[in-house]
C-alpha cells in the first residue's frame, strides 16, 4: 500500500490517528492498528526500506525547490540531495535511485559515472555539488 509521499506502508505497523481521536470509520478494514496489541513490529530490513523511501521522498521534495533556487535541473538537484542525505551510507544512494525517480544503469560503474556527471560542479551550479561528488566518487572503487 502506498502512503503519503509514495512511501510503502506496512499494514498494522503504526497506530491509527483517527481511531485514537475516535473518528476511524474503517474498523477491521483499517490499515493502521487500533491499539498497541495490533501493532506489528517490523524487522530491520522493513525499517531500512521504509527509511530509504522516506529519504527518497524528502530528497525529491527538497530538490524541486532547490532546482529553481540554484538554477539547476531537477535530476542534478536530486542527486545532490540524495548524496547529502545519505552521506554516512553512500551505497544506499544506489539502492534507492528508482524510488527517487532516477534511472539506474545495468552495472554499478556506469550508474555511478552518470550520477557524477549530473552533480559535477562544472555542470551543476548547486552549492553542494562539490560535496556530492566527494560523497559519490568513492563508489566507483567499491565492490558491490
Amino acid at each position: 500500500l502506498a502512503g503519503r509521499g509514495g512511501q510503502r506502508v506496512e499494514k498494522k505497523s503504526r497506530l491509527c490517528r483517527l481511531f485514537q481521536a475516535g473518528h476511524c470509520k474503517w474498523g477491521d478494514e483499517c490499515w493502521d492498528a487500533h491499539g498497541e496489541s495490533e501493532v506489528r513490529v517490523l524487522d530491520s530490513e522493513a525499517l531500512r526500506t521504509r527509511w530509504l523511501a522516506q529519504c527518497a521522498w524528502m530528497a525529491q521534495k527538497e530538490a524541486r525547490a532547490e532546482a529553481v533556487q540554484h538554477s539547476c535541473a531537477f535530476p542534478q538537484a536530486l542527486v545532490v540531495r540524495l548524496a547529502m542525505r545519505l552521506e554516512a551510507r553512500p551505497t544506499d544512494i544506489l539502492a534507492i535511485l528508482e524510488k527517487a525517480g532516477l534511472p539506474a544503469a545495468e552495472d554499478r560503474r556506469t550508474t555511478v559515472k552518470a550520477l557524477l556527471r549530473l552533480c559535477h560542479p562544472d555542470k551543476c551550479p548547486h552549492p553542494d555539488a562539490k560535496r556530492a561528488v566527494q560523497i559519490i566518487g568513492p563508489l566507483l572503487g567499491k565492490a558491490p
Side-chain angles (χ1 to χ4, degrees), residues 13-43:
S13 63
R14 62 183 179 197
L15 288 172
C16 176
R17 290 185 203 155
L18 292 174
F19 180 79
Q20 290 174 320
H23 303 295
C24 184
K25 63 181 181 180
W26 295 101
D28 291 339
E29 299 296 315
C30 185
W31 272 82
D32 293 331
H34 287 179
E36 293 289 338
S37 62
E38 285 187 11
V39 177
R40 278 187 41 229
V41 177
L42 300 177
D43 62 20

Side-chain angles (χ1 to χ4, degrees), residues 27-106:
D28 291 339
E29 299 296 315
C30 185
W31 272 82
D32 293 331
H34 287 179
E36 293 289 338
S37 62
E38 285 187 11
V39 177
R40 278 187 41 229
V41 177
L42 300 177
D43 62 20
S44 61
E45 188 56 32
L47 288 172
R48 179 180 177 272
T49 300
R50 180 183 284 180
W51 179 77
L52 287 173
Q54 289 173 335
C55 282
W57 181 76
M58 288 301 296
Q60 286 176 327
K61 184 178 172 183
E62 294 163 349
R64 278 187 202 95
E66 290 180 1
V68 173
Q69 183 181 1
H70 301 300
S71 300
C72 58
F74 172 73
Q76 291 174 312
L78 184 54
V79 171
V80 171
R81 279 293 104 217
L82 287 172
M84 300 309 291
R85 282 195 156 273
L86 297 168
E87 182 173 5
R89 300 176 60 163
T91 54
D92 284 340
I93 295 168
L94 302 175
I96 64 167
L97 285 179
E98 289 180 30
K99 265 188 185 99
L102 292 169
E106 287 184 28

Side-chain angles (χ1 to χ4, degrees), residues 109-125:
R109 186 168 180 78
T110 305
T111 300
V112 173
K113 283 183 171 186
L115 294 175
L116 289 170
R117 277 192 296 276
L118 278 171
C119 66
H120 194 280
D122 288 348
K123 310 246 185 293
C124 178

